Amino acid sequence: GGGGGFTDVELHAVTGPKRDDEDHDSQGAKTIDELFDERIGQANKAQLTQFALSSSAWFPAAFLTLTSVFTARVPEWTCASEGACEDVNTGELMELCDMDRELWKWIDPKASIVSEWDLVCAHEYKVQLADSIFFVGFFFGAGLLGQLADAKGRVYGLYLSTTLASIGVILAAASNGYWMYFFCMSLRGFGCGGLGVASYVLCTEVLGVKWRAVLGISTQYFWSAGIALMAGIAYTLPEWRQFAAFAGFSGVAYIALSFKYLMESPRWYLATGQTDKAQDVMVQLAKASSRSNTVKLPPLKQQRIAKGLNVTAVFPFPALRHRLIAMAYIFCITSLVYYGLSLNVGSLSGSIYMNTFISGIVEFPSHAFAQIAVDKLGRKMTLVLLMSIAAVGVLS
């Protein structure tokens, strides 16, 4: 993915020794975190504006990622005629798959892909198959688009990911059959895989160290609010093609509305040797700071440029390698449980719209708890505690 960085020792091992002229060139220069701490602030108005702009990507991300909650739901059906669904011997209502197709009908054939293409009984597997291909695309998107965000820029990665996911959903809304829908889901998944990676990194890289952990968790409020909002929108757009089209165009709308105002990460500029552009972004951030009497800032300390780095660069370092494996496992298990529950909310009794709304709102207390616990207990203990609580909840 596109986050995280290497320590000076690790970069030294990967990129080689420091040049003799670097100490001379960096005299009087400041690092980005030193400027945040001394001149700009940890989270001033401009930083929070950029944080909000990039975090807002989680609204369309929720729509695009969880589209199938409503597009692939099983809608209501009824008997084709009075008594047609009753067993002639017992008089009891027969199961759907025990009846001939002409004995029953969908109340709204356009409510979902299930009703439009009769994805029940022998064809029920196709619903899960479409979800599976989505996550196959998600897997490759998270890796490839995350690397692209490292190479081309966080904003580039965010907008490309959103565009691909939006195109996938819009094409799915116009699909003329299941298999076209199926392949559109892979494109949707590929885009969604990179969207969250680029958005999260962009959100946190404009913040000072003191606020990065707390506000980093705050990005998830946008995701949860997006889920709750999605329930209301789906209720007003009961036909699956209408809802899918809305989800796709929500991504397009986000790009159009944020393009003029969203700035690239100064950390990415600096890491790729574009010091002047990084300095320009820092000046823009400083203009909103009450702690800065002038927009003239000290030059940024030039970092050694680490070209061609990817995930394999951590393998020679045991501590990083073990942490990578542990976090990969944690993300795998968390995704398995979270998306397994979220995508099957339609299996619960009651209204699918209310259940989805509640599933979004119930996450807010968890985010708030995590923000407090990270500060009081640290990241590791917070993670252990929350995963333990989740395990108890799933098993109970």
Side-chain angles (χ1 to χ4, degrees):
F6 298 92
T7 66
D8 286 341
V9 173
E10 292 151 1
L11 278 178
H12 179 85
V14 174
T15 61
K18 183 164 56 174
R19 301 191 319 266
D20 293 336
D21 60 344
E22 284 183 354
D23 287 332
H24 175 75
D25 293 340
S26 63
Q27 288 182 357
K30 301 284 186 179
T31 66
I32 286 178
D33 285 319
E34 286 172 341
L35 285 182
F36 282 154
D37 190 49
E38 300 171 10
R39 302 293 297 272
I40 297 174
Q42 298 289 318
N44 70 14
K45 183 179 178 180
Q47 290 167 288
L48 291 177
T49 298
Q50 291 301 307
F51 169 83
L53 282 171
S54 50
S55 294
S56 296
W58 290 96
F59 280 112
F63 302 157
L64 295 166
T65 304
L66 301 177
T67 305
S68 60
V69 170
F70 296 104
T71 62
R73 64 190 176 94
V74 180
E76 296 180 350
W77 58 273
T78 187
C79 300
S81 60
E82 187 176 356
C85 304
E86 297 177 359
D87 189 295
V88 293
N89 297 318
T90 64
E92 296 180 355
L93 187 67
M94 292 188 290
E95 294 292 334
L96 187 70
C97 296
D98 294 333
M99 293 185 286
D100 293 334
R101 181 62 183 86
E102 64 270 12
L103 297 180
W104 60 275
K105 62 182 180 180
W106 298 107
I107 293 178
D108 183 2
K110 297 182 179 180
S112 76
I113 63 170
V114 174
S115 56
E116 182 162 335
W117 298 320
D118 273 352
L119 303 183
V120 292
C121 304
H123 298 283
E124 184 178 0
Y125 75 93
K126 292 181 179 179
V127 177
Q128 287 75 34
L129 190 62
D131 282 338
S132 296
I133 198 64
F134 166 81
F135 283 106
V136 170
F138 196 102
F139 174 82
F140 287 104
L144 296 177
L145 293 176
Q147 291 292 323
L148 192 63
D150 284 343
K152 299 292 186 180
R154 313 306 191 198
V155 174
Y156 181 91
L158 173 61
Y159 285 166
L160 178 61
S161 300
T162 305
T163 300
L164 292 174
S166 298
I167 291 174
V169 176
I170 292 171
L171 290 177
S175 57
N176 57 8
Y178 170 78
W179 291 111
M180 179 178 175
Y181 174 89
F182 175 82
F183 288 112
C184 289
M185 290 301 96
S186 64
L187 179 59
R188 164 184 158 238
F190 187 81
C192 288
L195 201 164
V197 174
S199 174
Y200 181 80
V201 174
L202 185 60
C203 288
T204 56
E205 287 189 335
V206 296
L207 301 171
V209 174
K210 293 180 181 178
W211 284 98
R212 206 173 298 159
V214 172
L215 288 179
I217 296 172
S218 295
T219 61
Q220 297 307 296
Y221 287 112
F222 292 82
W223 165 267
S224 302
I227 296 175
L229 180 62
M230 179 180 68
I233 294 170
Y235 181 79
T236 62
L237 299 173
E239 295 187 4
W240 77 269
R241 292 182 186 272
Q242 294 176 342
F243 175 73
F246 175 88
F249 283 111
S250 70
V252 177
Y254 168 74
I255 294 174
L257 293 174
S258 65
F259 181 79
K260 182 179 178 181
Y261 307 101
L262 187 60
M263 295 188 292
E264 183 55 83
S265 164
R267 298 180 192 274
W268 179 81
Y269 276 141
L270 194 60
T272 54
Q274 302 179 68
T275 310
D276 291 342
K277 291 183 178 179
Q279 189 80 22
D280 290 341
V281 173
M282 297 298 286
V283 169
Q284 292 299 316
L285 296 176
K287 288 180 179 179
S289 177
S290 59
R291 296 173 59 184
S292 179
N293 298 321
T294 176
V295 294
K296 185 175 177 58
L297 298 174
L300 283 168
K301 187 177 293 184
Q302 178 62 58
Q303 298 177 344
R304 280 164 288 157
I305 303 172
K307 295 183 178 180
L309 285 184
N310 54 47
V311 69
T312 60
V314 307
F315 290 162
F317 308 101
L320 288 180
R321 183 172 65 249
H322 295 158
R323 177 167 293 191
L324 173 65
I325 295 171
M327 292 307 299
Y329 176 78
I330 289 169
F331 271 104
C332 180
I333 297 302
T334 302
S335 298
L336 177 68
V337 175
Y338 182 84
Y339 288 111
L341 295 174
S342 297
L343 293 176
N344 284 284
V345 69
S347 301
L348 300 174
S349 61
S351 168
I352 188 174
Y353 305 106
M354 183 56 68
N355 289 339
T356 301
F357 176 80
I358 293 173
S359 73
I361 295 300
V362 77
E363 293 183 6
F364 278 72
S366 176
H367 303 328
F369 172 81
Q371 288 177 303
I372 297 172
V374 162
D375 184 52
K376 301 296 183 181
L377 304 177
R379 291 175 174 84
K380 183 177 179 179
M381 284 306 301
T382 300
L383 180 61
V384 171
L385 180 60
L386 288 175
M387 291 195 72
S388 299
I389 294 173
V392 172
V394 171
L395 294 173
S396 61

